[in-house]
Amino acid sequence: MKSAKHSRLGRSWLPAHILVWLYAVLLVVPLYYFVASAFKTNEEIFASPFALPSSFGLGNFSTAFHSADLGLAVVNSALVTVFSLVLTLALAIPAAFALARSTGRLASLVESVFSLGFLIPTFAALFPTFLLAAATGLFHTRTFMILFLPATAMPLSVVILVQFMRTIPREMEEAARMDGASTFAVLRHVYTPMCLPGIATVLLLNFLTFWNEYLYSLVIIGPDPAQRTVQVALPTLKSITGTDYGVLTAGTVLTLVPVWIVYTVLQKRMQQALVSGAVKM
């Protein structure tokens, strides 16, 4: 009876397994084609697109790295992304802490204002942002992007962290207060450690957004090789190398390496956050 029941359950889950494997294939095949093309010449790409490269030499990567000056562009992107992430967390964690502990109408109103940030389209804010950069004298600087990107990330960051902090029992804070902890100590030693999955989620989502940001980086920082980010430098490969698709894909792969590293480090924390949210539902 038990084996028959398991057999029926296995058959009922068969369509789900088929869809999962189909989805995995849809992801893996383009990724394989993309990475394999980074090691090929144009002739190999068009003659045998899905075959393994005849050589795993790093010539395309070297050409892409030096032609578009990707090394300096990666450093610029890293500076903008890291400082923006630090500023985002420095603002979002205390704001979420205050909102999570407040029960008044003013706190609800402020939280609603943060939620309204989701309604502002990216293109709608472009012209005012351009005027603000010019008025502050920070046009064509990375400093403005470091100040601007956290502002765009605050709505999502605050909303996520508020929901995490509301799940922390009040008794934890009361116990810390009885030990003489200040408000800052409660935030640092109680709320922040217990919200690490939420903080990791905010870090990962904002890292992907900041690293891949193109429109505002192009308009605000511009194409200056000394300051441009990697997403602005990458399209210049097209004008430098023409239709050398091996070099183009190699340059794109280079820009994805930091994303892959950060995702690998933070994915466990993010999965914990998603699972804990599902259990609480």
Side-chain angles (χ1 to χ4, degrees):
M1 290 291 291
K2 191 174 181 180
S3 61
K5 183 179 179 181
H6 285 175
S7 178
R8 286 197 299 273
L9 286 175
R11 285 196 296 272
S12 67
W13 281 99
L14 185 60
H17 284 287
I18 293 175
L19 288 175
V20 168
W21 281 106
L22 181 62
Y23 181 69
V25 170
L26 290 175
L27 290 178
V28 170
V29 170
L31 182 62
Y32 163 76
Y33 172 76
F34 184 68
V35 175
S37 298
F39 294 92
K40 295 179 179 180
T41 61
N42 273 359
E43 290 74 17
E44 290 178 299
I45 292 174
F46 290 112
S48 51
F50 289 101
L52 284 172
S54 59
S55 167
F56 286 95
L58 301 179
N60 286 342
F61 293 91
S62 178
T63 303
F65 190 83
H66 292 100
S67 298
D69 207 0
L70 286 182
L72 182 57
V74 167
V75 171
N76 288 331
S77 284
L79 287 174
V80 171
T81 302
V82 170
F83 282 107
S84 298
L85 286 174
V86 171
L87 188 55
T88 300
L89 289 182
L91 295 173
I93 291 177
F97 175 60
L99 291 174
R101 295 170 68 252
S102 302
T103 55
R105 292 183 178 178
L106 181 60
S108 300
L109 178 62
V110 173
E111 189 175 353
S112 301
V113 171
F114 275 109
S115 301
L116 288 177
F118 294 113
L119 302 179
I120 302 175
T122 303
F123 283 95
L126 181 59
F127 186 62
T129 304
F130 169 78
L131 294 179
L132 181 63
T136 55
L138 296 176
F139 191 57
H140 279 178
T141 65
R142 291 167 297 190
T143 304
F144 186 85
M145 290 300 295
I146 292 173
L147 298 174
F148 169 72
L149 290 177
T152 64
M154 284 297 286
L156 178 63
S157 305
V158 170
V159 168
I160 290 176
L161 291 176
V162 165
Q163 300 310 316
F164 268 89
M165 290 186 178
R166 281 181 177 154
T167 63
I168 298 175
R170 286 275 182 174
E171 290 76 10
M172 301 290 292
E173 180 180 350
E174 292 171 1
R177 293 286 189 186
M178 291 180 67
D179 290 337
S182 63
T183 301
F184 178 73
V186 170
L187 171 61
R188 181 182 176 187
H189 298 293
V190 178
Y191 279 80
T192 301
M194 296 186 73
C195 289
L196 282 181
I199 293 173
T201 303
V202 169
L203 268 178
L204 182 57
L205 294 177
N206 286 332
F207 175 85
L208 295 176
T209 302
F210 294 168
W211 184 267
N212 294 319
E213 207 289 318
Y214 172 72
L215 177 63
Y216 284 90
S217 298
L218 178 63
V219 173
I220 301 299
I221 297 179
D224 179 10
Q227 297 198 74
R228 68 187 180 189
T229 60
V230 70
Q231 301 302 333
V232 178
L234 192 60
T236 61
L237 276 175
K238 181 70 173 63
S239 58
I240 295 172
T241 63
T243 55
D244 194 335
Y245 296 108
V247 175
L248 290 175
T249 53
T252 307
V253 169
L254 285 175
T255 65
L256 294 178
V257 171
V259 177
W260 176 77
I261 293 174
V262 172
Y263 180 77
T264 302
V265 172
L266 295 178
Q267 65 167 337
K268 189 175 180 180
R269 289 287 187 181
M270 185 174 178
Q271 289 169 359
Q272 287 176 351
L274 295 175
V275 171
S276 63
V279 171
K280 285 165 186 168
M281 287 176 66

